[in-house]
Amino acid sequence: MKVLVLGAGVAGVAAAYYLWRDGHEVVVADRRPAAALETSFGNAGGLCPSFAGPWAAPGMIGKVLKMSLQRNSAIRFSFTPEPRKLAWLARWMGQCNAERFRVNKLRMQRVAHYSFACLKEIAGAGLPIEFDFHQDGTLQLFRDEAGLKAVPGITRALDEFEVPWRFLEGADAASVEPALAHTKAPVAGALFLPADGSGDSYKFATGMSAYLQGQGVDFRYGVEIRRLVGQGGRIAGAETDQGMLAADAYVVALGGQSPFLLRPLGLKLPIYPLKGYSITADVTDAGRAPQAAIMDEHNKVMISRLGSRIRAAGMAELKGYGLEVDAGRVAFLTSVVREWFPQGIALDRAQAWAGLRPMTPDGPAILGRTRYENLFLDCGHGSNGWTQACGTGKIVADIVAGRPPEVDMEGLTAERYAS
Ligand SMILES: Cc1cc2nc3c(=O)[nH]c(=O)nc-3n(C[C@H](O)[C@H](O)[C@H](O)COP(=O)(O)OP(=O)(O)OC[C@H]3O[C@@H](n4cnc5c(N)ncnc54)[C@H](O)[C@@H]3O)c2cc1C
């Protein structure tokens, strides 16, 4: 069967891998000149199934309102009356309660752990793809007693999902991450999540794209998809700026752009961008830069080790599709890294980036079948898309092949928004 994958972010490329493995003729189209040049380019690099979970959580509405009014806070929502944003916000608020949080978290955990296993299988398969992958865990750091109050709730959830964890008293955190011996930040305590890993999703996607091209997968870069042509309950083709692309099946992996291509077909996906920022800097002294992924719980900033580089990322701005890089946000990220790791990282030469997390209001990605017989979805991966991409790619490839996925699809398809 000929399958056209729309989008060569980490989700689309991972799907292309599994589709190719199934023996399909695979074509991947993307508007950019190479893979992973949008959200999959500069994310935090965390492969963190341990705390994959929804943004919509009890207490978040108040927290977001409060933080949006503070200067320099990590979260900033603009409340301008843009209809798509307001509709997304209304749905998101409806999910901010304990019952919905639990349901949504279970769904995301299901995919995230499965996905990490898929990624590790790829990493161990001997493919010529180097993406700075390592599994040194995540260290969630709490700066003060107020922060530590969240720990019992977090560990209860970890136990429920059978995620291994270890609590460390302040100074003991350095026993897991020796670079913390030099920190200037206060450490009241830490949760170590040893099952997590880190890796560079841009390197993964570009490496995988090059490998698949060598295997005969046709990557069409610089192709803008303008419209999907529906005909009698099927998709007849994808209209692009370079003519029509036709296939037997179509997989939509366009990240935050997916709703715009699907809406004219009558498929309304509530995906809205949540902007974040990152900085990437070279390590100049390996002993003073972290190896584990560090999650600064107070500032909601993740710092991860990607080979000879450090990536720090965070912030959440709900204010549309702009990609401008705010100097104040970059300065903040830089100061957070400098406080934790004062030496050993060339922060004065850091590269700054901004990206748009393709968020669903409830949290899980939107996967699988649509009402069009040959149209499949692999989008809405939110703040966990790198962690989830391999698993969602495999799930979608299974569905395209007519096999039952290895993961229960309850709550993962677009049907959950039908009512
Ligand atoms: C600051 C930040 C930190 C993050 N940290 C983490 C993390 O630590 N761990 C984690 O798991 N996730 C993280 N994420 C989330 C993760 O990066 C995303 O979920 C993931 O990259 C989404 O991948 P995607 O392939 O769905 O989308 P994208 O990477 O955006 O890919 C979509 C592709 O579609 C193409 N496209 C769009 N429209 C068209 C069109 N009309 N025609 C042709 N091509 C088109 C684009 O060019 C793009 O290549 C983070 C995100 C941000 C912003």
Side-chain angles (χ1 to χ4, degrees), residues 127-192:
L127 306 182
I129 302 172
E130 211 297 294
F131 59 102
D132 297 324
F133 174 58
H134 59 102
Q135 196 174 356
D136 289 290
T138 304
L139 200 57
Q140 268 181 292
L141 293 169
F142 303 90
R143 287 168 174 257
D144 50 29
E145 290 304 317
L148 282 179
K149 288 201 177 112
V151 171
I154 297 173
T155 54
R156 260 198 307 279
L158 292 169
D159 287 340
E160 185 178 352
F161 303 117
E162 296 177 18
V163 176
W165 59 271
R166 186 147 56 96
F167 181 75
L168 301 157
E169 298 290 344
D172 295 344
S175 66
V176 166
E177 179 43 74
L180 283 173
H182 311 283
T183 194
K184 294 259 191 295
V187 187
L191 268 178
F192 181 49

Side-chain angles (χ1 to χ4, degrees), residues 9-11 30-31 38-40 43-44 46 225 382-387:
V10 72
D30 196 290
R31 63 187 175 188
E38 298 206 357
T39 310
S40 304
N43 61 40
I225 299 137
S383 53
N384 296 285
W386 171 213
T387 306

